[in-house]
Amino acid sequence: MRQVMVGLGARSYPIWIGHAQLPKLNEALDAVGFPRRVGLVTNPTVGELYGNQVTAALLAGNREVNVIQIPDGEQYKTLTTLEQIYDTLIDWQFDRYCGLLALGGGVIGDLTGFAAATFLRGIPFVQVPTTLLAQVDSSVGGKTGVNHPRGKNLIGAFYQPRHVHCDVGVLATLPEREYAAGMAEVVKYGVIRDAAFFSWLEQERDALTARSPRALEQAVMISCQIKADVVESDENEQGLRAILNYGHTFGHAVETLAGYGVVRHGEAVAIGMVMAARASVRLGFGTEADVVRLTGLLRARGLPVEPPAFPAEDYLAVMRHDKKVRDGGIRLVLNHGIGAADLHRVETPETLLRELLL
Ligand code: NAD
Ligand code: GLY
């Protein structure tokens, strides 16, 4: 078992990473003094696969468990679902001495975290992430929230969990596309912060394709360590934390133009990272060789790398709508070679985009 600490003073918490970790959940909750009464939030897909194991682990430690099931899908990450969670907690007479446990991917984690942040002005919660994306990204760092009809993640709070429990064994049942989408974020950490990790991902291609628990433990641990370091320096995203959005500005435009659900978020981020790497070459921060390595690694992970063929004007229109273009310029996270990145302001995004889309 590996452990990463997210060091945020009184709000610090451990991330446990291992294989066959679910039975150790109770031990982990005891270690952080988690309440004995637990509301387990999940969806039918994950509940069917892992709900019994998690419930058994909690009951074995004399915890009391109530289960809340919400339907599976991003379209349920809403204020309406949140209200249903509150209603259930009130029916159950949950008080401040109770806690919530999120068992699922980023949708369950974001919703549960925000319910925990706001119910009775805050009750403890833990994350048991079951997608690769949730294990390496969404369960760590305390961003919680729901979507609004007019935009994703518009309502939310920074609220840290008490513990994150990653069992890489659960990734065995993840559909291929979801696994690949999580890998886009793993690759991102190598590009923005850790050249040795990037090389390791290249070397471990086959083990990662086979979902080897050894390779996955290492990949999740290094990813969480990098995210923890960034979050420790800038919890509320006043500066450095923005580098975690590498590839996301272009990626979001790709997602919007191609249509949500057509391209998965992680796939759009993969394309967005290649666009960012090409932009870095144009602006003198990176080399063609970086782009070749990045596209090679993303392709090996089953991810797309070419932007869909929409005119540069369409990309710009989306970025303007997202308020990414301000006063004619755009703020972009650009990689400096492989292993470092920084925020830059680009004054002529039109020219840049036309060059990138040639
Ligand atoms: P998701 O939660 O929708 O999960 C993807 C699918 O996989 C779902 O159908 C789910 O039921 C299924 N699933 C989950 N675990 C499984 C398993 N082990 N085996 C089989 N199927 C499984 O999607 P996601 O990609 O995990 O998360 C996306 C969400 O995360 C978005 O809402 C996004 O906004 C959010 N997010 C949040 C942060 C953050 O910092 N809080 C960061 C990135 C993304
Ligand atoms: N997913 C980006 C962040 O947590 O800041």
Side-chain angles (χ1 to χ4, degrees), residues 122-173:
I123 61 173
F125 90 110
V126 288
Q127 294 268 19
V128 184
T130 63
T131 62
L132 182 58
L133 177 124
Q135 294 195 352
V136 300
D137 187 0
S138 62
S139 68
V140 176
K143 281 189 181 173
T144 72
V146 295
N147 301 327
H148 184 274
R150 286 164 62 187
K152 274 192 75 178
N153 297 323
L154 287 185
I155 321 285
F158 285 100
Y159 190 67
Q160 302 293 341
R162 297 290 171 95
H163 169 68
V164 180
H165 203 78
C166 296
D167 185 338
V168 297
V170 306
L171 303 179
T173 53

Side-chain angles (χ1 to χ4, degrees), residues 214-233:
R214 171 198 59 80
L216 279 173
E217 272 185 30
Q218 182 73 5
V220 173
M221 184 190 72
I222 303 286
S223 300
C224 288
Q225 186 63 67
I226 292 171
K227 180 145 188 190
D229 287 347
V230 171
V231 168
E232 282 168 11
S233 333

Side-chain angles (χ1 to χ4, degrees), residues 32 67 114 146 150 172 176 199 201 204 235 240 294 325 348:
V32 296
V67 179
F114 191 51
V146 295
R150 286 164 62 187
E176 198 54 50
S199 301
L201 291 169
E204 296 286 346
E235 185 181 6
L240 180 74
L294 178 60
V325 179
T348 51

Side-chain angles (χ1 to χ4, degrees), residues 5-335:
M5 278 303 294
V6 184
L8 292 168
R11 284 167 290 104
S12 298
Y13 53 96
I15 307 170
W16 288 17
I17 301 143
H19 187 245
Q21 284 290 296
L22 293 182
K24 295 189 194 140
L25 189 53
N26 202 60
E27 183 190 332
L29 297 192
D30 282 347
V32 296
F34 200 72
R36 303 220 75 74
R37 190 155 177 225
V38 178
L40 189 165
V41 184
T42 191
N43 68 30
T45 313
V46 181
E48 171 86 12
L49 287 164
Y50 305 109
N52 285 345
Q53 255 190 83
V54 168
T55 305
L58 297 173
L59 294 176
N62 289 325
R63 285 196 151 79
E64 193 185 324
V65 189
N66 296 95
V67 179
I68 303 180
Q69 282 232 11
I70 57 176
D72 189 356
E74 178 78 34
Q75 68 272 33
Y76 297 103
K77 198 175 119 178
T78 60
L79 284 167
T80 308
T81 309
L82 194 65
E83 209 172 337
Q84 287 160 3
I85 297 177
Y86 297 142
D87 288 345
T88 310
L89 298 178
I90 293 165
D91 287 345
W92 290 343
Q93 300 181 317
F94 256 50
D95 60 22
R96 286 215 182 83
Y97 302 97
C98 302
L100 294 183
L101 183 151
L103 174 67
V107 168
I108 294 286
D110 282 11
L111 252 171
T112 308
F114 191 51
T118 45
F119 186 68
L120 301 178
R121 300 193 181 84
I123 61 173
F125 90 110
V126 288
Q127 294 268 19
V128 184
T130 63
T131 62
L132 182 58
L133 177 124
Q135 294 195 352
V136 300
D137 187 0
S138 62
S139 68
V140 176
K143 281 189 181 173
T144 72
V146 295
N147 301 327
H148 184 274
R150 286 164 62 187
K152 274 192 75 178
N153 297 323
L154 287 185
I155 321 285
F158 285 100
Y159 190 67
Q160 302 293 341
R162 297 290 171 95
H163 169 68
V164 180
H165 203 78
C166 296
D167 185 338
V168 297
V170 306
L171 303 179
T173 53
L174 204 58
E176 198 54 50
R177 259 182 107 179
E178 299 296 346
Y179 182 68
M183 275 296 170
E185 302 292 345
V186 174
V187 170
K188 176 192 80 180
Y189 291 120
V191 180
I192 63 170
R193 282 290 259 205
D194 193 335
F197 182 49
F198 191 94
S199 301
W200 180 88
L201 291 169
E202 291 176 318
Q203 283 152 23
E204 296 286 346
R205 272 178 193 204
D206 294 344
L208 291 166
T209 302
R211 305 191 192 183
S212 134
R214 171 198 59 80
L216 279 173
E217 272 185 30
Q218 182 73 5
V220 173
M221 184 190 72
I222 303 286
S223 300
C224 288
Q225 186 63 67
I226 292 171
K227 180 145 188 190
D229 287 347
V230 171
V231 168
E232 282 168 11
S233 333
D234 179 22
E235 185 181 6
N236 295 332
E237 200 166 317
Q238 300 301 305
L240 180 74
R241 188 166 176 163
I243 68 166
L244 297 176
N245 296 330
Y246 178 70
H248 287 60
T249 299
F250 291 128
H252 191 226
V254 168
E255 232 174 338
T256 309
L257 290 174
Y260 281 97
V262 177
V263 180
R264 283 208 54 72
H265 176 71
E267 294 167 346
V269 167
I271 295 169
M273 288 195 290
V274 174
M275 292 175 79
R278 288 182 178 147
S280 292
V281 177
R282 296 275 182 293
L283 298 165
F285 300 110
T287 63
E288 261 324 317
D290 304 331
V291 180
V292 170
R293 283 181 76 192
L294 178 60
T295 49
L297 184 52
L298 292 171
R299 281 207 180 97
R301 300 273 43 91
L303 287 159
V305 295
E306 288 304 331
F310 293 99
E313 287 68 33
D314 291 7
Y315 278 90
L316 277 167
V318 173
M319 289 175 179
R320 277 202 195 93
H321 182 261
D322 288 352
K323 311 233 174 1
K324 293 281 165 34
V325 179
R326 274 170 203 262
D327 307 324
I330 189 169
R331 268 158 62 90
L332 280 179
V333 184
L334 297 176
N335 58 300

